[in-house]
Amino acid sequence: MAARQVLRIGNPRLLQVAEPVTSFDTPELEAIIADMFDTMAAHDGAGLAAPQIGVNKRIVIFGLEENPRYPDAETVPTTILINPQLMALDNTIEEDWEGCLSVPDMRGLVPRYRRIRYAGFDQHGVGFQRDVEGFHARVVQHECDHLEGILYPQRIRDMRMFGYESELPGEEEEETP
Ligand code: NI
């Protein structure tokens, strides 16, 4: 198992729609997930989607315990989410700053549903469902967008709110998938 190279924006593989996982509890699936966790940890990320390491499968991982990159962020349980389905629980939209390991050093102000329900499967094929809000909901929406070939800059409403982290005016909250 090892950290893999993260594909960056401009790579056509990030624009593909990912394929559902059809076999659970396999060594192949375990190996992909292990590489995803190693890759996420190597970059202090809060989430990663399989297409970002060149695996065109509907697998995302996320989690934020204590992370030096996001000292003020709400924590999110470490989760493996396969073949996810998302549903907004109401129509409230919030904008907040996001980043992405595929868009290094940059930040953008991205609208997301504040409250969502998500459902999917773990690596053993066991189904689960959660109702979440805030940063947790944001991370899941960001990661699942990767499975549709969508990167967060495509969601930004005002492109003046997109740029290099080091150039943007100081933000109090940098909660970033
Ligand atoms: Ni991302």
Side-chain angles (χ1 to χ4, degrees):
M1 303 308 117
R4 301 238 219 135
Q5 186 174 2
V6 177
L7 305 184
R8 293 180 300 167
I9 187 168
N11 190 309
R13 300 178 76 177
L14 291 172
L15 303 178
Q16 294 179 324
V17 176
E19 309 270 350
V21 171
T22 53
S23 299
F24 293 88
D25 252 341
T26 66
E28 292 79 9
L29 183 60
E30 293 290 345
I32 292 166
I33 291 167
D35 281 358
M36 289 175 68
F37 275 106
D38 287 347
T39 304
M40 186 170 80
H43 296 278
D44 281 328
L48 191 76
Q52 292 181 275
I53 59 166
V55 175
N56 197 36
K57 296 283 186 190
R58 301 185 80 79
I59 308 166
V60 303
I61 62 168
F62 49 85
L64 192 61
E65 312 289 336
E66 295 282 311
N67 187 316
R69 268 182 71 184
Y70 323 111
D72 302 321
E74 303 161 38
T75 58
V76 177
T78 298
T79 302
I80 297 161
L81 177 61
I82 299 173
N83 298 347
Q85 292 189 297
L86 272 58
M87 183 180 85
L89 290 175
D90 60 53
N91 289 325
T92 308
I93 303 286
E94 272 183 351
E95 291 202 314
D96 210 340
W97 293 91
E98 295 186 14
C100 179
L101 298 180
S102 294
V103 192
D105 303 323
M106 304 198 79
R107 289 288 181 271
L109 194 62
V110 182
R112 300 285 186 190
Y113 288 108
R114 169 162 170 72
R115 297 181 64 233
I116 64 165
R117 172 171 297 159
Y118 65 89
F121 300 87
D122 70 9
Q123 69 273 36
H124 308 296
V126 177
F128 65 100
Q129 169 181 308
R130 290 177 182 150
D131 291 357
V132 301
E133 61 181 39
F135 182 60
H136 189 159
R138 177 169 296 275
V139 171
V140 174
Q141 289 169 85
H142 175 114
E143 298 311 330
C144 291
D145 262 359
H146 280 292
L147 306 181
E148 307 303 329
I150 297 169
L151 299 170
Y152 81 82
Q154 293 167 249
R155 299 271 189 205
I156 296 172
R157 290 166 163 164
D158 179 351
M159 288 305 285
R160 292 174 298 184
M161 300 290 107
F162 177 55
Y164 287 98
E165 186 177 16
S166 56
E167 299 286 349
L168 287 164
E171 296 300 330
E172 290 305 311
E173 295 180 47
E174 293 207 354
E175 296 181 343
T176 305

